[in-house]
Amino acid sequence: QVTAKTAFLFILPQYNVSVPTADGELVQYHYGLKDLVTILFYIFIAIILHAVVQEYALDKINRRLHLSKVKHSKFNESGQLVAFHLTSVIWCLYVVVTEGYISNPRSLWENYPHVYLPYQVKFFYLCQLAYWLHALPELYFQKVRKEEIPRQLRCISLYLLHIAGAYLLNLTRLGLILLLLQYLAEFFFHMARLVYFTDENNEKLFNVWAVVFVVTRLFTLTLYILVIGFGLPRVESQALDPERGNFFSFLFNNILFRMSVLLLVCLFQASVMWRFIHFQLRRWREYWNEQSSRKRAAAPAGTKQQTKLLKRDSGECWKGGWHCGGVSAGGQLPPAGSCLCRASPAVS
């Protein structure tokens, strides 16, 4: 019995509370320190699943493609993230639809703080935190190049900051929809990279990703302004209440804190869009430079072929290094023996 209680501490979400409803009682959850134990267990699960995807899918594809070391590393990274993002998009979409967060946008800020969470919402957040924490030891297991480590650490830190922030500040409903938008754009990006590694001439999915990326950024910024700027100020003041698990969300009572968060979000989204625009401009510049270089390379070949045609049409004859210079009327070669043959300049 003691072993079972300890096992449940690792496997199942903790801090369940019976909340009275019109139909009876509903079991919901809030967060606490015991969540760290559950997250630790699912970190090991994520490491095992990572190894399974690598061994039985990505390594087999890599053997067929014969990629270079740099492309091999990027292919593995995108392959793992495609599997994770696709799973997260389907799971997250199921949660927001079944909980009614899309059909009722007011639920994103009504009755805030959302201290008590449904089982599937809390479990989703615990798994998300476990996955991004498992990515830290994977940098060593996957033998990531030193040049790539700062970029990946920055990406992991940003995900952990946003997911943990939504979880601790009781903005889980808003965080679910924002994660759905973010993972959808990331799925198309890494899928486009996988297609590009298999066929370097196929870049159509990058155009799809560009459209999805811009649309998701606009929706993300709109949701932040709608919820933090307009929704939360209408909610009644909430005091610090550790017994209910309300440790940090009372900060949103302060207009200065709300505006600071909104400003930071807008600046971050603006920096992301600026990097995206700079990336697209660089791609277009490289594309047009490549096209112009191809045209310049094709021009001399066309000039040589045109010169040969002009010589043929002029009625001049080059045979065996000898040039028959006589030309009859109408541009036709004169009869044999009627022209004076001399050695061509190229031969003599």
Side-chain angles (χ1 to χ4, degrees), residues 18-20 32 38 62 80 88 113 152 162 233 251 268 295 301:
S18 297
V19 180
T38 311
N62 272 319
Q80 293 286 349
S88 296
Q152 295 204 24
H162 284 80
L251 294 172
F268 177 74
K295 290 180 180 180

Side-chain angles (χ1 to χ4, degrees), residues 225-239:
I225 295 174
L226 179 65
V227 176
I228 299 178
F230 295 98
L232 292 181
R234 299 180 181 181
V235 179
E236 296 181 0
S237 298
Q238 297 290 337

Side-chain angles (χ1 to χ4, degrees), residues 191-262:
M191 195 67 198
R193 284 219 305 184
L194 291 180
V195 174
Y196 175 77
F197 289 141
T198 56
D199 181 11
E200 294 188 355
N201 295 322
N202 192 345
E203 298 184 1
K204 294 180 180 179
L205 268 182
F206 280 111
N207 299 327
V208 177
W209 163 72
V211 175
V212 174
F213 182 86
V214 173
V215 173
T216 54
R217 290 307 99 193
L218 293 176
F219 270 103
T220 298
L221 192 58
T222 303
L223 280 174
Y224 268 118
I225 295 174
L226 179 65
V227 176
I228 299 178
F230 295 98
L232 292 181
R234 299 180 181 181
V235 179
E236 296 181 0
S237 298
Q238 297 290 337
L240 176 64
D241 190 359
E243 294 183 359
R244 297 182 61 231
N246 183 13
F247 292 98
F248 304 104
S249 53
F250 74 93
L251 294 172
F252 281 98
N253 292 332
N254 190 339
I255 185 174
L256 181 61
F257 180 79
R258 285 199 306 269
M259 292 299 102
S260 299
V261 171
L262 192 59

